[in-house]
Amino acid sequence: MSQVSTVRRAGRKSPVRPAGRRTAARRTATRTGQYAALLAYLAFLAFPFLWLVSTAFKPPRELGSIHPTWIPGAPTLDNFRQAFTQQPLLTAAGNSLLAAAVSAVIAIVLATPMAYVLARHRGRLARAATGWVVISQAFPLVLVIIPLFLILKNFHLVDSRAGLVMVYAVWSLPFALWMLTGYVRAVPPEVEEAAAVDGAGRIRTLVSVTAPLLAPGIVATGLFAFITAWNEFFFALVLLKSPEKQTLPVVLTHFIGTEGVADLGPLAAAALLATLPSLLLFAVIQRRITGGMLAGAVKS
Amino acid sequence: MTLATAPRRSAAPGRTPAPRRDHATWFLVLPALIPILVLSVGPLLYGIGLAFTDAQSGRTRATGFVGALNFTDLLHDTLFWDSFRIGLVWALGVTVPQFFLALGLALLLNVNLRLRWLARALAIVPWAMPEVVVGIMWRLVYHPDAGILNETLRDLGLSGTGDGRDWLSGLATALPAVIVVGVWAGMPQTTVSLLAGLQNVPKELHEAAAMDGAGAWRRFRTVTWPALKPVALAITALNFIWNFNSFALVFVLTDGGPGGRTRLPMLFAYEEAFRYGQFGYAAAMGLAMVAVISILLAVYLAGRLKGDDDR
């Protein structure tokens, strides 16, 4: 990189100018500018989260102070204890865990075979499916939630965890299909053909040759579906009424609105706890997700 | 391409009768297709149908077909169009700055800088967080007394006009304040997509242009941008749709207040449907949103693609 830029500067048509020092100075200036910009981005991206962490560990006295500080003077875990007594966080976390895990597993089981077909046979079906992925993104949820609400009500699945799981599973299907199709394409068909030549049947080939190669992609897609469902708010808000069935995001909103300054601590603590699973899982799959999106993008 | 045709070729020599392959294909496809049809395509069509009825929640009388009545009502519903206008301001106000900020970040991340790993990791954080938590977090930032924003402004001596300003309940500040949150929350997807797009930029061309003495801006215009453009178009269009349809963030931040200044169309339709029980009317709102957005996007994409030919 640096070599290239030296060549570039030297190649400029400025016969009299002593090249070396000026270009070096300019390069330093560019670098400084780049680092300054990067630091500004880092600050912008990080500061709300750091503030959340800071608030979560502050005692009420400091939260009420006129001049809030970045670092809690006397950090405390009280807010976390308070959060659990104010709202049924454990139940809510259990509900979220159940909905997210079950719907992610269902989505993967349903999507993987179809993704295989979409990747291997490009035809009308594949185009229709891709079209649907795009269209399903464009429609406002309100147009889907009203009929879903009415349909689920007919089957007594409103205010039921099973109903929510079904909705989540189907809702994560488009993205799961999109990602998995990319992963299947990355498995060369020659591998499967070789297995077929060796006399393995079609199903056998899929199970013992293709599936293991796909495993990392399947895990990443499943975790992504899990995070999506864990974070989801709108469907849960509309479909669940009983407090003991509500998921974490919905329960978190119960903290809001009536908060005096003293309640900010528990609010921040609960919000922080609710985020940790998503953050940890996302850190695990980050590379694969961006890779999967790349794969999806490259094919078009 | 060869990859795609290979399996088909391998099937041909054995002369496997076509129907058998179809059976296998359907067997693989149906498990996903049926739920999509029943719980996604079906409800969507049902929802479009509902827009032409007087469906209400908890009503005993049968739902009747009312033709375009909901839409004529909607035309005269100034509250809804206010909300619609706010939705457009919000969607543009978020999408445009978000694109330029994300483009800058993507270009920086594409350069070999120290701390790049940290920026990459941090750039992802907003993506992983539940929207509700993002909203709560920014409420803490904006909090009039205990928030860091007012404190920072005080420290910088910038709080002149109003100490302890309540950003989210001020008539003038509420919408800009939620727009900033929207920009923050959507940075990751945009940055990651643009970063992926930057991998398509031919390196040799860049170096050649540099040899010819093209400055950084010219190289960006003539080499980077043409390769990046399809990705940029796609992500801005998607961002616009997502932002226009967004709900949770603003629901948590302001719940549409103050005085409806941040009441996005989705919040409006949600209240109509689940607070007042007007299912048919709310569905009509949803349909109106789709229609207007589709037209806007068609104009945008057509304009962009034509601009491509002109150059």
Side-chain angles (χ1 to χ4, degrees):
Chain A
M1 192 62 218
S2 63
Q3 264 175 347
V4 174
S5 45
T6 324
V7 171
R8 168 194 359 144
R9 308 296 195 214
R12 284 219 161 158
K13 32 189 186 306
S14 51
V16 240
R17 202 206 294 158
R21 218 193 286 151
R22 273 191 78 159
T23 56
R26 190 182 306 175
R27 202 159 58 221
T28 326
T30 315
R31 267 287 129 103
T32 316
Q34 285 174 333
Y35 275 111
L38 191 66
L39 285 179
Y41 273 114
L42 286 179
F44 177 61
L45 289 168
F47 91 91
F49 186 67
L50 293 178
W51 188 244
L52 176 73
V53 175
S54 160
T55 310
F57 288 99
K58 271 184 194 161
R61 194 172 38 77
E62 286 183 47
L63 287 167
S65 120
I66 313 170
H67 292 292
T69 52
W70 272 104
I71 315 248
T76 171
L77 290 175
D78 258 13
N79 294 326
F80 292 88
R81 204 170 323 129
Q82 286 255 342
F84 280 95
T85 54
Q86 284 181 10
Q87 297 288 345
L89 283 186
L90 271 184
T91 319
N95 292 336
S96 280
L97 183 66
L98 181 87
V102 176
S103 67
V105 170
I106 295 177
I108 287 299
V109 169
L110 298 181
T112 308
M114 181 157 173
Y116 179 80
V117 173
L118 293 184
R120 289 286 187 255
H121 309 275
R122 304 186 190 203
R124 228 175 312 157
L125 181 70
R127 251 174 289 139
T130 317
W132 180 249
V133 170
V134 174
I135 290 174
S136 66
Q137 294 293 319
F139 277 83
L141 285 184
V142 70
L143 210 52
V144 183
I145 190 69
I146 297 171
L148 261 183
F149 183 84
L150 293 173
I151 294 170
L152 291 175
K153 206 168 148 196
N154 268 337
F155 294 95
H156 302 285
L157 285 169
V158 165
D159 199 18
S160 112
R161 297 183 185 95
L164 190 69
V165 164
M166 281 165 61
V167 171
Y168 280 175
V170 174
W171 207 244
S172 48
L173 273 181
F175 198 77
L177 279 174
W178 172 265
M179 282 180 64
L180 284 170
T181 307
Y183 291 126
V184 174
R185 286 221 179 91
V187 176
E190 287 80 3
V191 182
E192 288 167 15
E193 283 162 34
V197 169
D198 290 347
R202 180 148 176 189
I203 300 295
R204 175 93 199 273
T205 310
L206 282 185
V207 171
S208 54
V209 177
T210 317
L213 289 170
L214 272 183
I218 289 179
V219 170
T221 311
L223 288 179
F224 192 80
F226 179 93
I227 296 171
T228 311
W230 177 272
N231 292 353
E232 205 282 333
F233 176 63
F234 186 67
F235 287 129
L237 175 73
V238 171
L239 294 178
L240 300 173
K241 290 289 163 246
S242 321
E244 76 275 7
K245 290 177 189 164
Q246 285 172 342
T247 58
L248 259 182
V250 179
V251 169
L252 280 179
T253 60
H254 297 333
F255 280 96
I256 302 174
T258 56
E259 77 245 42
V261 167
D263 288 332
L264 290 179
L267 172 67
L272 188 58
L273 286 181
T275 310
L276 285 183
S278 314
L279 277 182
L280 292 177
L281 291 181
F282 214 92
V284 173
I285 58 167
Q286 181 202 333
R287 215 162 273 271
R288 294 214 153 261
I289 291 296
T290 47
M293 288 189 45
L294 256 175
V298 165
K299 71 129 214 228
S300 54
Chain B
M1 208 56 232
T2 42
L3 291 192
T5 46
R8 217 170 291 166
R9 244 192 293 121
S10 71
R15 288 277 158 210
T16 329
R20 230 198 81 190
R21 206 189 66 206
D22 276 352
H23 280 309
T25 307
W26 284 115
F27 179 73
L28 293 172
V29 166
L30 283 179
L33 200 56
I34 290 173
I36 288 179
L37 288 177
V38 173
L39 285 172
S40 187
V41 180
L44 193 60
L45 297 176
Y46 185 9
I48 293 173
L50 277 176
F52 298 92
T53 69
D54 58 354
Q56 288 178 10
S57 100
R59 203 170 64 158
T60 42
R61 202 150 51 83
T63 297
F65 180 76
V66 295
L69 185 66
N70 285 329
F71 294 96
T72 48
D73 282 353
L74 202 57
L75 272 181
H76 304 292
D77 191 339
T78 50
L79 281 178
F80 176 71
W81 294 109
D82 281 347
S83 152
F84 205 93
R85 197 177 40 78
I86 292 167
L88 286 179
V89 172
W90 148 270
L92 277 177
V94 173
T95 306
V96 174
Q98 193 170 64
F99 172 72
F100 286 108
L101 278 175
L103 180 62
L105 182 56
L107 288 171
L108 275 177
L109 292 181
N110 209 31
V111 182
N112 219 345
L113 296 177
R114 251 164 275 187
L115 288 182
R116 188 167 67 157
W117 61 272
L118 182 62
R120 281 195 178 194
L122 274 179
I124 298 291
V125 167
W127 196 354
M129 297 181 93
E131 273 187 296
V132 169
V133 172
V134 173
I136 289 173
M137 194 171 72
W138 279 88
R139 283 178 73 101
L140 297 174
V141 169
Y142 283 138
H143 197 280
D145 305 318
I148 190 63
L149 181 59
N150 277 342
E151 177 61 14
T152 310
L153 289 180
R154 265 193 296 263
D155 285 350
L156 297 174
L158 288 174
S159 60
T161 46
D163 204 18
R165 185 189 277 274
D166 193 346
W167 299 92
L168 291 172
S169 355
L171 287 178
T173 52
L175 189 55
V178 294
I179 284 177
V180 169
V181 182
V183 171
W184 186 88
M187 283 280 284
Q189 286 99 320
T190 318
T191 308
V192 166
S193 314
L194 291 174
L195 204 50
L198 283 176
Q199 315 304 316
N200 297 339
V201 176
K203 268 219 172 70
E204 316 78 51
L205 215 54
H206 232 282
E207 285 164 14
M211 294 279 239
D212 290 346
W217 170 243
R218 271 204 61 171
R219 269 178 291 139
F220 177 78
R221 280 263 335 256
T222 54
V223 181
T224 310
W225 183 243
L228 195 58
K229 199 173 169 186
V231 176
L233 274 185
I235 193 67
T236 43
L238 274 175
N239 274 341
F240 184 79
I241 298 173
W242 284 330
N243 289 326
F244 189 78
N245 292 336
S246 83
F247 176 82
L249 213 50
V250 177
F251 180 87
V252 171
L253 281 168
T254 61
D255 196 11
R261 287 300 159 95
T262 59
R263 194 195 282 138
L264 304 184
M266 261 295 282
L267 286 150
F268 197 100
Y270 165 77
E271 285 182 4
E272 203 62 38
F274 295 100
R275 211 160 280 171
Y276 307 119
Q278 301 292 340
F279 285 162
Y281 194 47
M285 286 179 185
L287 212 52
M289 287 164 67
V290 179
V292 176
I293 292 308
S294 319
I295 293 169
L296 285 180
L297 277 181
V299 171
Y300 166 72
L301 291 177
R304 288 289 125 164
L305 294 177
K306 213 167 98 210
D308 211 24
D309 296 339
D310 292 348
R311 216 176 294 141

